[in-house]
Amino acid sequence: MDYSGRLSRAIDLLDGEEVDGLLVTDLINVRYLTGFSGTAGTVLVHRSGATFFTDGRYKARAAELVRDAEIAIYRERLVELLPQALTERGVSTLGFESEVLTVAEHADLERDLGINLKATKGVVGGLRRTKEPTELAAIREAVRLGDEAFERVVERLKPGDTERETALFLEVTMREAGADDVSFPPIVGSGPHAGHIHHTPTQREFRSGELVLLDFGARVDGYCSDLTRTVMLGPGSDELRERYRLVLAAQEAGIASIAPGAQCRAVDASARNVIETAGHGDLFAHGLGHGVGLDIHEAPRFNRESEQSLLEGDVVTVEPGIYDPTWGGIRIEDCVHVSATGADVLSKSPKHELIEV
């Protein structure tokens, strides 16, 4: 991946933020800019380039992974090296990532640096939205691994299995197929637990005649996928099939409204209106979706209040659902690439009829 291009774009944003340098402390943003993955890393973006700071534990790892940035190793604390680095690079106003820097850390920087600090928001996150070809390729592979895991889990679902062992099966299957990691701990909710929007799998056993909601994803080269499908154990009722078709129609409406420049709240509304018109608006209690990349939840966001608009190159989820713990819940989710011509649905897992196993 071309990290120099990313750093150059970050440098170009300094003037607009009215800063001489930007201190990047969000580890996902650090990885995006330099390629470094680890638990201790900070990047100083300045007008002539970038400096990556870490401690001695990561000296060898930084030498192997960091691209297009000078590497500086401190013994105990960043402040051992940062003041001199700022002086040498002419940084008198330093931007910091207000979403991640704690109040205590900000106070320490004010005390130790003695320069003007300025809060910034979403600088690197904004750059991350438009996926480069290599990033999109990694997401496509992560999506493929999720599709493969879904195919395999459907083959084995049966009454008597537990939520927890099914979640483990999904994780192991994706890892064995080549995933670096899972995007998040798999969600498996059965029966009334399918009515929980986000459920932590338990030892509850599946029962015939119940819905099972499966929400999971893989990571490839750090990039995430996100897939949700809802499956019926045994034959479903006409009522459940109708509810499923309603959620599918809402998702299709949302996907159809995706295009560069589309307002995110309008995309949310296009799907939400389908469910509200059917009289179930109170059962759809979350936003329609979110961006996906190095983080499982990133910009943009689909919800009623969003002020964002879609950009060509965004990768987003579209995931309407209805939930009622008395009968369960139904959610259908796919990853979608926002191309120049509209929506490119990356997920291939079947969804056009309620799967009954």
Side-chain angles (χ1 to χ4, degrees):
M1 296 189 184
D2 183 7
Y3 294 98
S4 63
R6 298 176 184 182
L7 286 166
S8 296
R9 291 193 292 275
I11 292 169
D12 289 343
L13 295 175
L14 295 180
D15 283 341
E17 298 294 329
E18 299 181 335
V19 295
D20 307 308
L22 174 65
L23 195 67
V24 180
T25 53
D26 183 321
L27 288 172
I28 294 176
N29 288 340
V30 168
R31 179 168 185 167
Y32 177 79
L33 291 175
T34 68
F36 175 82
S37 58
T39 61
T42 302
V43 177
L44 172 63
V45 179
H46 50 85
R47 298 190 184 281
S48 57
T51 304
F52 171 81
F53 299 90
T54 191
D55 62 53
R57 296 172 299 162
Y58 288 110
K59 183 176 181 178
R61 185 175 181 85
E64 179 182 349
L65 296 179
V66 172
R67 298 290 179 268
D68 300 308
E70 175 189 2
I71 298 172
I73 308 297
Y74 54 82
R75 183 187 305 175
E76 299 290 343
R77 299 176 62 222
L78 175 64
V79 72
E80 297 167 18
L81 302 179
L82 185 56
Q84 182 178 348
L86 295 172
T87 299
E88 292 175 349
R89 289 154 184 80
V91 177
S92 58
T93 300
L94 178 65
F96 65 91
E97 296 181 303
S98 60
E99 309 100 310
V100 295
L101 197 73
T102 68
V103 172
E105 289 168 338
H106 180 269
D108 288 344
L109 285 178
E110 279 193 319
R111 181 195 65 222
D112 295 334
L113 301 182
I115 66 171
N116 183 37
L117 297 176
K118 183 175 181 181
T120 68
K121 186 176 182 180
V123 177
V124 181
L127 295 176
R128 282 169 40 198
R129 282 187 57 177
T130 302
K131 303 303 187 285
E132 301 162 4
T134 50
E135 295 179 286
L136 184 58
I139 294 172
R140 286 185 185 275
E141 177 62 10
V143 168
R144 187 191 69 79
L145 294 178
D147 284 335
E148 183 178 311
F150 178 70
E151 181 180 5
R152 290 191 57 193
V153 78
V154 167
E155 293 172 350
R156 72 184 295 276
L157 281 181
K158 62 184 183 302
D161 292 346
T162 71
E163 295 172 346
R164 192 169 293 167
E165 68 188 15
T166 303
L168 179 61
F169 176 84
L170 286 166
E171 180 165 351
V172 170
T173 297
M174 289 185 286
R175 287 178 178 271
E176 288 182 342
D180 305 335
D181 198 352
V182 292
S183 299
F184 53 91
I187 296 169
V188 178
S190 61
H193 290 169
H196 299 183
I197 294 173
H198 280 169
H199 173 65
T200 300
T202 70
Q203 293 288 25
R204 185 183 190 277
E205 294 184 353
F206 300 159
R207 302 170 190 172
S208 182
E210 292 183 338
L211 294 167
V212 179
L213 189 150
L214 307 157
D215 186 350
F216 57 96
R219 283 185 188 267
V220 172
D221 292 336
Y223 288 85
C224 300
S225 67
D226 199 352
L227 176 72
T228 304
R229 291 293 185 266
T230 307
V231 177
M232 185 74 197
L233 286 178
S237 66
D238 290 341
E239 185 178 23
L240 282 178
R241 294 189 191 102
E242 184 60 31
R243 289 169 181 161
Y244 184 89
R245 285 192 286 268
L246 173 64
V247 175
L248 180 63
Q251 196 208 32
E252 290 174 339
I255 291 172
S257 67
I258 286 177
Q263 290 185 324
C264 290
R265 65 172 177 269
V267 177
D268 179 274
S270 66
R272 194 173 302 280
N273 288 343
V274 173
I275 294 175
E276 289 179 343
T277 299
H280 298 298
D282 59 327
L283 302 183
F284 182 15
H286 58 77
L288 181 64
H290 53 84
V292 173
L294 283 171
D295 205 351
I296 188 59
H297 294 107
E298 57 183 49
R301 304 288 181 131
F302 293 131
N303 57 52
R304 295 182 181 93
E305 306 299 328
S306 177
E307 297 294 330
Q308 297 170 310
S309 296
L310 288 174
L311 303 174
E312 182 179 345
D314 279 334
V315 176
V316 296
T317 68
V318 181
E319 49 179 306
I322 56 175
Y323 313 89
D324 185 337
T326 62
W327 55 263
I330 297 167
R331 180 163 70 247
I332 305 171
E333 175 186 26
D334 290 304
C335 285
V336 179
H337 174 232
V338 183
S339 71
T341 56
D344 175 18
V345 180
L346 305 181
S347 319
K348 306 302 180 187
S349 292
K351 63 179 180 180
H352 293 293
E353 296 290 342
L354 176 62
I355 296 175
E356 302 172 28
V357 298

